[in-house]
Amino acid sequence: MDAIDDRILHALRRHGRISNAELAGRVGLSPSACLRRVQELERSGLIRGYRAVLDRARLGVGFTAFMAVGLSSHTKAAQEAFERAVAAAPEVIECHNVTGAIEYLLRVEVADLAAYKRFHTDVLGTLPQVSAITSYVVMGSPKDERA
């Protein structure tokens, strides 16, 4: 990694569909040299993929919440069972195992409050590993740079 690789990564994070020629111009390389660097960043695993940023509202997602989830047991089996359950739940967009007073932080996106209540009650509420759920409803996201 050097300063040119940093500039390449910065440009690709903001504009994943930028042409190689335009990317090369932005970072000060020839198109062939730029392409070789991007391919090496991909081969090395530093660039793991490319994604489309979707307009969630136009897809019918009008409700987002972060959920802090505490488990009743801290065993590996309990964690694995919980992780399998949230991996199967399409409402869960992100799942992070964290330190502190809770074990997991989830980002949940659904159509509306009624759909959220169903997920809270019928999915998380039925998992025997779950001992506590605290919800944080997103009112706005003035900065969101996730791809």
Side-chain angles (χ1 to χ4, degrees):
M1 283 286 300
D2 60 15
I4 293 173
D5 288 339
D6 285 339
R7 290 197 305 269
I8 288 171
L9 294 174
H10 179 78
L12 288 175
R13 282 186 67 211
R14 299 219 183 288
H15 309 285
R17 292 188 61 173
I18 190 172
S19 72
N20 183 62
E22 187 175 343
L23 179 60
R26 286 188 186 190
V27 301
L29 291 174
S30 70
S32 60
C34 184
L35 182 59
R36 279 192 301 274
R37 281 183 178 251
V38 170
Q39 289 172 336
E40 180 53 34
L41 291 167
E42 291 170 343
R43 255 190 311 278
S44 73
L46 194 59
I47 295 176
R48 294 184 0 199
Y50 299 89
R51 293 180 174 87
V53 178
L54 307 177
D55 184 330
R56 306 302 287 170
R58 292 185 69 179
L59 291 171
V61 175
F63 189 92
T64 301
F66 287 93
M67 301 179 80
V69 180
L71 300 185
S72 55
S73 173
H74 298 94
T75 65
K76 182 176 181 178
Q79 287 182 334
E80 288 173 345
F82 176 79
E83 290 173 9
R84 280 192 304 277
V86 297
E91 301 88 350
V92 179
I93 305 304
E94 297 176 48
C95 174
H96 305 278
N97 183 217
V98 297
T99 63
I102 51 104
E103 283 71 46
Y104 290 91
L105 183 63
L106 310 179
R107 180 183 180 98
V108 174
E109 295 181 351
V110 292
D112 54 26
L113 181 58
Y116 180 74
K117 184 177 184 334
R118 278 190 301 277
F119 172 75
H120 188 288
T121 303
D122 298 339
V123 177
L124 285 189
T126 63
L127 297 177
Q129 304 85 5
V130 173
S131 66
I133 302 170
T134 303
S135 298
Y136 301 93
V137 175
V138 174
M139 299 188 329
S141 298
K143 182 175 182 179
D144 184 348
E145 295 186 2
R146 290 172 301 123

